[in-house]
Amino acid sequence: MMPYSLKGSRSRPQREIGTIIRSLGCCPSEGELHDLIAEVEEEEPTGYIRYEKFLPVMTEVLLERRYRPIPEDILLRAFEVLDPAKRGFLSKEELIKYMTEEGEPFSQEEMEEMLSAAIDPESNTIHYKDYIAMMVIDEN
Amino acid sequence: MGCGTSTTATKDKKSEKALKAALVIQNWYRGYSARLKTRQRYALTIFQSIEYADEQGQLQLSNFFSFMLENYAHVHEKDPELVNRFFGSSTQDSKDRQDYLGLIDVPDSYCGPRLQFPLTFTDIDVLIEAFKQQQILHAYYVLEVLFETRKVLKQMPNFTHTKTSPSKEITICGDLHGKLDDLFLIFYKNGLPSVSNPYVFNGDFVDRGRNSMEVLMILLVSFLVYPNDLHLNRGNHEDFMMNMRYGFTKEILHKYKLHGKKILQILEDVYTWLPIGTIIDNEILVIHGGISESTDLNLLHRIERNKMKSVLMSPIPIDGDRATEKKNKAGKAIAAWGMKTDGPFSEQLTKHEWEQVINILWSDPRGKRGCYPNTSRGGGCYFGPDITSKILNKYQLKMLVRSHECKPEGYEICHDGKVITVFSASNYYEEGSNRGAYIRMSSGTTPRFFQYQITKATCLRPLYQRVNAIESSAIRMLKERMISRKTDLIRAFQLQDRNKSGKLSMGQWAFSMENVLGLNLPWRSLSSHLVATDKDGNTDYMSSFQDIHIQKPVKEVQSTLIETVYRYRSDLQIIFNVIDSDHSGLISMEEFRSMWKLFKSHYSVRIDDSQFDELAERMDSNKDGSIDFNEFLKAFYVVHKFDKLSKSDTKLA
């Protein structure tokens, strides 16, 4: 029932599997994702993931409600932690620094993608409250 | 890690908090981004399924034409040319070039591009500059180019063999589909074709985009200037019947009101002379669609490729019992039209040859092993990695490069690296739907891929906006499909709804949708856009039809008739175009009625004839006994209740 051809495509299985898992409503970290893939990969890494192997593992993940998504208020607090002066926004440089240097760093593509939607081009800042509100509406 | 002064401890705690915060945001963002990408994929899947279902419809149409010819003798008493269209006549060749060109004048007032024969690279530049300024090439030059192209192509074998070297890479481009901006971008990034910069264009230059003529002209002129370095392969859209459905015929008749018909005639023939494929360094096979388990390259090298008029006109079989009966019927019909009975059959390929070519132009690779009929498109097959290995090994080839399928990244590698799909029309379905790509390669080196995406704005809109746009467009198309099958859908729903509650479980709803529409889509995931569900997860199946309806051109006519005409409007358009051989846009009431009767019986459509007559009378607004069928079909459009635009953008393509 999925629009992905798990066995057909050879390009970057890790990324594809991550997208699939996340689109099912789970939010594993990159580290957790890595472990999960190790669980479903073939013994000899062929670059393919078999649907038959993936399905039971994924079903278990869903039933156990593992990797629950981040609630909106936690997300807001995370931004506030990075903005100790309580200005209500982060500068472009600050966001880039945190996202690409801390935690599980963003790739350049991910950073650009986030900025394109989040940034206010005139002030070069990210008003995180508005940004979160916009994303939440878009998802619903 | 807790030693040191209290300041360090606070610092540590602070940075630990920042780390955690960053993790939260990254984690959330990646989830959100994944969901966006999945929505994009769903939208693409919708577009693609509908496109392929249309192609299947196209093949059904060819069956209809055969049926029509067998049963519809009297139209052809008046129109013997119609028979020629189906059985292919070689009278085209006998038409002297001067017959066409001698009668056309290029006035002094014409300020579009002028070509100088014999063509040189200057002419390529002239054309490109002119097309950038949206000028139109005069019909005289179009015809000259087509005649010259045919002359040169006739000398060429079915497969072009070419060699590369480390200093001479070759560039392979996939489907362009009339997207002129993409062609400009490729030439800009990769350089114009020349002796040191060879290209292969792997079919589907035309249809769907707005500038099929311009794309074709640039490619053909470049070919004429560099016939040994610019290689063209035939695609499934290099076919006059496909052009009738997918827009190129319309584009030609619109841009060339006076000479369009002549252009169409010669173009039909030029297509048949396009090579079937290109083989690079005896290792890499470049063809438009794919292969089948029975692909016989030796046979394909030998056949008379120009006999493949349209991939959609299957040869009438000349062996087998049932076939003989068909042949006799058709033969009688042909005799009645005053043609020699053995004539037309020698103008065709054998069934086996024809199938070989269909497979090359229509097949798609899939992960599943084996070879299966390509049920989405209705032609060619699905071929698995084992088939690829078998055929490549059989002919000592290393790789297959093909096109034919739109890929989100513009290219895709499959079958363990042995099959590459390259697609060069970015934003094929919608702005933001996909990237385009081309490949550069030479013997011994790994192929390099170059991607691009045309954008109208100076900077790309954020991803979520682009995805929203594609998604709403795809859903809209899907809804229009649904409304065109409304009666059948409701019947299917009601069959499952035993207690007439008006509700079905999600599973039941999805099952009916897939069965009736024949589209393999993730229905459960799409359901939120298409139907209302209650808190128990059951669907209110009639809710899908509330915000959309087909505009009734005539009040008194029944909904089912409206729905049927709407559903088959593309097919009807083509049928009309074929009957209207002088391309006047008009057919007589009588022709209209008899054609409708045939259509009804072949497609098993249950509509009262009197209803149809009523409709036809109304459409002949000036009561002169003829109907402008474009106007007739335009009158059937879908109204989306909650849209700002009341007329949907029902592209027939």
Side-chain angles (χ1 to χ4, degrees), chain B residues 73-89:
Chain B
H74 94 93
V75 148
H76 309 293
E77 277 156 17
K78 287 190 264 164
D79 196 354
E81 231 186 82
L82 199 53
V83 180
N84 289 342
R85 282 185 157 285
F86 296 110
F87 291 103
S89 93

Side-chain angles (χ1 to χ4, degrees), chain A residues 23 99 104-105 110 138-139, chain B residues 26-27 30 32 35 38 468:
Chain A
S23 70
M99 294 295 104
E104 289 172 328
E110 285 174 315
D138 187 54
E139 289 249 80
Chain B
Q26 286 157 345
N27 186 319
R30 287 182 169 125
Y32 167 74
R35 288 188 288 281
T38 306
N468 279 338

Side-chain angles (χ1 to χ4, degrees), chain B residues 11 13 29 52 54 86 98 113 146 178 182 198 203 245 248 281 340 369 382 462 554 600 606:
Chain B
K11 253 200 191 152
K13 198 161 186 217
Y29 184 76
Y52 295 172
D54 271 348
F86 296 110
Q98 277 309 110
L146 289 173
D182 288 79
R245 191 187 199 105
F248 191 26
D281 296 327
K340 302 195 197 83
R369 296 171 66 89
Y382 289 132
V554 177
K600 240 187 58 172
R606 282 170 284 187

Side-chain angles (χ1 to χ4, degrees), chain B residues 231-244:
Chain B
H231 311 291
L232 299 170
N233 290 342
R234 190 175 185 184
N236 64 314
H237 279 260
E238 273 70 58
D239 180 319
F240 77 96
M241 283 209 59
M242 293 294 276
N243 291 168
M244 280 198 258

Side-chain angles (χ1 to χ4, degrees), chain B residues 94-110:
Chain B
S94 57
K95 283 252 156 54
D96 193 15
R97 194 159 164 158
Q98 277 309 110
D99 278 359
Y100 283 141
L101 293 176
L103 300 169
I104 305 181
D105 210 17
V106 184
D108 289 335
S109 57
Y110 168 73

Side-chain angles (χ1 to χ4, degrees), chain B residues 161-309:
Chain B
H161 287 258
T162 187
K163 289 208 175 303
T164 63
S165 65
S167 57
K168 188 175 165 185
E169 279 185 320
I170 194 164
T171 305
I172 306 179
C173 298
D175 298 26
L176 283 168
H177 282 299
K179 316 284 256 53
L180 190 56
D181 285 337
D182 288 79
L183 184 58
F184 285 156
L185 187 68
I186 295 171
F187 284 161
Y188 176 71
K189 277 178 80 134
N190 197 53
L192 287 176
S194 69
V195 173
S196 54
N197 194 19
Y199 276 85
V200 179
F201 284 92
N202 201 13
D204 280 11
F205 323 124
V206 300
D207 274 338
R208 302 189 70 118
R210 296 177 309 137
N211 295 100
S212 297
M213 180 50 92
E214 286 72 38
V215 167
L216 185 65
M217 282 297 115
I218 292 178
L219 291 180
L220 294 185
V221 166
S222 305
F223 166 71
L224 289 172
V225 177
Y226 300 109
N228 299 317
D229 302 291
L230 188 124
H231 311 291
L232 299 170
N233 290 342
R234 190 175 185 184
N236 64 314
H237 279 260
E238 273 70 58
D239 180 319
F240 77 96
M241 283 209 59
M242 293 294 276
N243 291 168
M244 280 198 258
R245 191 187 199 105
Y246 290 102
F248 191 26
T249 306
K250 212 174 182 181
E251 185 187 318
I252 292 178
L253 292 174
H254 177 74
K255 285 178 177 163
Y256 297 95
K257 292 186 168 57
L258 200 53
H259 302 291
K261 188 197 168 199
K262 283 183 186 168
I263 294 176
L264 284 171
Q265 279 179 344
I266 179 80
L267 182 60
E268 225 176 277
D269 207 30
V270 170
Y271 283 155
T272 66
W273 286 106
L274 285 168
I276 297 171
T278 301
I279 299 178
I280 303 175
D281 296 327
N282 279 325
E283 282 183 344
I284 301 171
L285 177 62
V286 187
I287 44 180
H288 179 72
I291 50 178
S292 78
E293 63 186 341
S294 58
T295 290
D296 182 349
L297 283 184
N298 295 326
L299 176 80
L300 285 166
H301 268 81
R302 286 194 318 257
I303 62 168
E304 292 176 73
R305 69 179 188 271
N306 67 305
K307 286 182 178 174
M308 186 68 140
K309 295 287 163 214

Side-chain angles (χ1 to χ4, degrees), chain B residues 456-614:
Chain B
K456 292 199 180 76
T458 39
C459 60
L460 215 49
R461 287 185 295 169
L463 185 63
Y464 79 94
Q465 277 184 14
R466 285 181 282 145
V467 173
N468 279 338
I470 317 178
E471 191 180 52
S472 17
S473 184
I475 297 291
R476 211 186 150 96
M477 266 187 91
L478 193 50
K479 280 185 170 167
E480 287 180 7
R481 270 287 138 135
M482 284 170 67
I483 198 83
S484 76
R485 304 297 303 266
K486 180 174 167 183
T487 313
D488 292 336
L489 277 171
I490 294 180
R491 199 182 302 136
F493 291 145
Q494 285 173 340
L495 261 172
Q496 291 193 82
D497 181 16
R498 294 299 166 84
N499 20 4
K500 307 213 184 302
S501 57
K503 298 211 173 190
L504 285 177
S505 73
M506 180 61 73
Q508 289 171 313
W509 179 82
F511 176 77
S512 297
M513 290 293 280
E514 173 134 348
N515 255 346
V516 174
L517 295 179
L519 296 171
N520 182 13
L521 293 173
W523 294 108
R524 288 162 203 263
S525 312
L526 295 171
S527 61
S528 57
H529 297 283
L530 300 172
V531 70
T533 38
D534 63 18
K535 52 180 169 52
D536 298 322
N538 292 323
T539 62
D540 170 6
Y541 56 82
M542 290 304 287
S543 63
S544 308
F545 307 107
Q546 273 160 13
D547 61 343
I548 178 170
H549 64 269
I550 304 173
Q551 185 65 13
K552 275 190 184 180
V554 177
K555 274 216 183 102
E556 295 75 13
V557 177
Q558 250 182 16
S559 298
T560 30
L561 172 59
I562 304 287
E563 198 181 302
T564 307
V565 177
Y566 179 75
R567 178 174 158 197
Y568 288 108
R569 69 201 188 289
S570 297
D571 295 344
L572 288 171
Q573 172 104 27
I574 297 174
I575 295 171
F576 289 150
N577 271 312
V578 171
I579 292 180
D580 174 32
S581 46
D582 63 356
H583 298 289
S584 60
L586 302 169
I587 59 172
S588 73
M589 282 292 283
E590 200 192 299
E591 282 175 324
F592 190 50
R593 271 206 201 89
S594 2
M595 187 234 64
W596 173 254
K597 282 208 174 74
L598 266 185
F599 182 86
K600 240 187 58 172
S601 77
H602 182 74
Y603 280 84
S604 309
V605 156
R606 282 170 284 187
I607 298 281
D608 202 19
D609 276 346
S610 62
Q611 282 274 304
F612 192 80
D613 284 343
E614 167 101 33

